[in-house]
Amino acid sequence: MSAGATYPLELLVLQLSSFCNIDCKYCYLDSKDRQRQNLMPVAVMTRAIESASRYPLLAKNFGVLLHAGEPLAAPKELFEKVAILVKQSFAGAPLLLVQTNATLIDQEWCDIFRRHNFRIGVSVDGPEALHDAKRVRRNGSGTFKDTLRGIELLRRNEINFNAICVVSSTNVQHPRTLYSFFKGLGCKVVGFSPEEVDGANPNSSLDEVAVESLDLFFEELFKSLREDESPLFFREARNIFDFLKVEHVGGRYLLDNQMNRPGRILSVLANGSISTYSPELASVGSRFIYGNINEVEFTDIFKSDALQSDDAEIRRGIQKCKAECEIFEFCGGGTPSSKFSEHGIFNDSFTNWCRRSRVSLVNGAFRGLGNDKEF
């Protein structure tokens, strides 16, 4: 890696606060951090946005994502300042995104979303019994009713939203129930993310079920899509159809994997610490912190010996993936966070994340679409 920005910056992730008002059982953030009422100072937020505006390479679809902790636990005034500063700092119109559990949404939040054209992502794991099995408060009570109330406010205000559903041992057995639920929910797109070992989450509940359960899960999702005259649009279908389209015309598909290239995603924690690659890496203590925005520009982190060393190991791991994996073109070399969380190193290839998020998806999609090929 050269001592400078090599790839366009696609996503700036700002942790306005590590605090979260709920206590999901699979969260990758440290539980102590999630209970701290620490806010990103305005000076830190300002330096991060202004440094990003000076970044030498910005992707056409560059966006600022408020995430990691519950962003709506931050004051509304801070949201307004972020939105205004982003608009003032960039020549184009960067995307403003927020990923939320939706439990804190009220009319004032909806007004802010509309005023600044925020794109909303909601975390929801299906109908009440499935959702409340993992997405709970600290007293163990479920969050579904409050999440649904927030979603209903979004719909009432005609605010489009996407959804992310974590697939765990609880809901993996109910793919058609989830398909029907999300179709009726009104989200534009839903992504199904298998629960993984990451950060502060040392185990996945999917270890408790047969590995083929996720193959069947995705198979039933794709069968539901194929049988539906007005199908639900889900993220994994788009990825598969892009793959099949290129393969059909004899081309070579290669997933553009932003999570294992330095500088394509930059994450800034509430205290100004900077990380890159998979956003989850920022939660692994100080191991993958490459500087602090209070002291450096984003471009300075590429001079870091630690980042240069990590990047060299990540690249060696990608080469192992390329040599060993039949679906490398669909995966692009995996994620550094899953490799480190599962194996303690980057210079490795196959992980449970690969098996669940890529191999099961491809196997299930091919069977669900009427192709018996398996990997």
Side-chain angles (χ1 to χ4, degrees):
M1 182 183 74
S2 62
T6 304
Y7 301 98
L9 174 59
E10 297 176 26
L11 190 65
L12 174 63
V13 182
L14 298 180
Q15 183 190 60
L16 295 188
S17 173
S18 65
F19 176 76
C20 188
N21 63 316
I22 69 175
D23 192 27
C24 299
K25 295 180 181 180
Y26 47 62
C27 187
Y28 63 86
L29 294 173
D30 183 84
S31 61
K32 292 181 180 178
D33 286 341
R34 285 184 278 128
Q35 295 181 62
R36 293 191 179 107
Q37 298 276 357
N38 57 331
L39 288 175
M40 176 178 282
V42 173
V44 172
M45 177 265 290
T46 301
R47 279 188 59 86
I49 292 171
E50 290 181 345
S51 184
S53 73
R54 293 188 289 269
Y55 204 79
L57 301 166
L58 284 179
K60 290 182 179 179
N61 62 342
F62 168 71
V64 177
L65 170 64
L66 308 181
H67 186 33
E70 172 49 48
L72 302 194
K76 296 180 173 75
E77 295 78 11
L78 190 57
F79 256 69
E80 296 268 16
K81 288 178 180 177
V82 169
I84 291 169
L85 187 58
V86 166
K87 292 174 183 177
Q88 291 174 343
S89 301
F90 296 89
L95 301 175
L96 283 167
L97 310 108
V98 58
Q99 185 65 36
T100 176
N101 60 44
T103 62
L104 299 176
I105 291 177
D106 58 21
Q107 186 55 49
E108 288 184 0
W109 277 119
C110 289
D111 293 341
I112 291 172
F113 297 155
R114 289 177 62 88
R115 182 157 56 247
H116 298 292
N117 197 28
F118 273 96
R119 297 194 179 189
I120 312 301
V122 175
S123 299
V124 55
D125 288 356
E128 186 167 4
L130 302 180
H131 177 97
D132 283 349
K134 300 289 184 181
R135 302 188 63 82
V136 297
R137 300 189 183 279
R138 290 185 175 86
N139 64 6
S141 62
T143 61
F144 179 80
K145 286 184 172 63
D146 284 338
T147 295
L148 195 61
R149 178 192 51 76
I151 289 172
E152 288 172 350
L153 268 171
L154 293 176
R155 294 173 62 176
R156 194 180 309 158
N157 283 270
E158 299 182 337
I159 297 172
N160 292 328
F161 65 96
N162 297 332
I164 291 179
C165 172
V166 173
V167 183
S168 67
S169 60
T170 302
N171 56 13
V172 70
Q173 310 294 341
H174 304 280
R176 288 190 178 257
T177 298
L178 291 178
Y179 184 93
S180 298
F181 171 80
F182 284 106
K183 185 174 179 181
L185 193 65
C187 53
K188 290 189 68 178
V189 183
V190 58
F192 294 100
S193 299
E195 181 188 343
E196 56 185 299
V197 172
D198 227 341
N201 187 35
N203 301 292
S204 170
S205 66
L206 291 171
D207 293 339
E208 304 165 9
V209 300
V211 67
E212 293 81 12
S213 296
L214 269 164
D215 294 34
L216 181 59
F217 176 86
F218 284 116
E219 178 182 350
E220 290 300 313
L221 282 182
F222 277 90
K223 282 181 178 178
S224 298
L225 181 149
R226 191 178 65 180
E227 297 163 1
D228 194 345
E229 292 183 0
S230 179
L232 168 72
F233 186 67
F234 55 96
R235 178 186 61 195
E236 292 72 20
R238 177 181 60 196
N239 296 342
I240 286 290
F241 292 145
D242 285 347
F243 175 61
L244 293 177
K245 183 166 57 178
V246 174
E247 292 285 313
H248 179 70
V249 297
R252 178 178 171 81
Y253 180 91
L254 180 60
L255 180 77
D256 189 25
N257 188 339
Q258 64 178 187
M259 290 187 290
N260 58 23
R261 301 291 190 271
R264 293 183 67 174
I265 301 174
L266 290 172
S267 299
V268 183
L269 301 184
N271 65 1
S273 295
I274 305 169
S275 189
T276 187
Y277 304 110
S278 316
E280 293 83 359
L281 279 179
S283 67
V284 187
S286 59
R287 171 64 178 81
F288 302 110
I289 299 301
Y290 302 112
N292 191 291
I293 198 63
N294 292 304
E295 302 165 356
V296 300
E297 291 280 330
F298 283 130
T299 49
D300 292 332
I301 70 170
F302 299 102
K303 304 170 188 175
S304 158
D305 291 340
L307 179 53
Q308 298 242 357
S309 175
D310 286 340
D311 189 64
E313 188 178 349
I314 287 168
R315 287 173 181 270
R316 288 194 292 272
I318 293 172
Q319 289 305 308
K320 278 192 174 183
C321 291
K322 186 175 182 179
E324 299 172 7
C325 181
E326 289 186 78
I327 60 166
F328 173 78
E329 288 81 5
F330 183 70
C331 177
T335 72
S337 62
S338 64
K339 291 182 180 183
F340 187 83
S341 294
E342 292 187 32
H343 299 158
I345 57 174
F346 293 132
N347 184 18
D348 214 335
S349 55
F350 200 72
T351 64
N352 285 326
W353 179 90
C354 300
R355 178 63 179 89
R356 292 164 179 160
S357 296
R358 291 295 180 261
V359 175
S360 286
L361 170 58
V362 173
N363 285 344
F366 277 23
R367 290 209 303 259
L369 296 172
N371 186 324
D372 292 332
K373 185 176 181 180
E374 287 195 9
F375 296 91

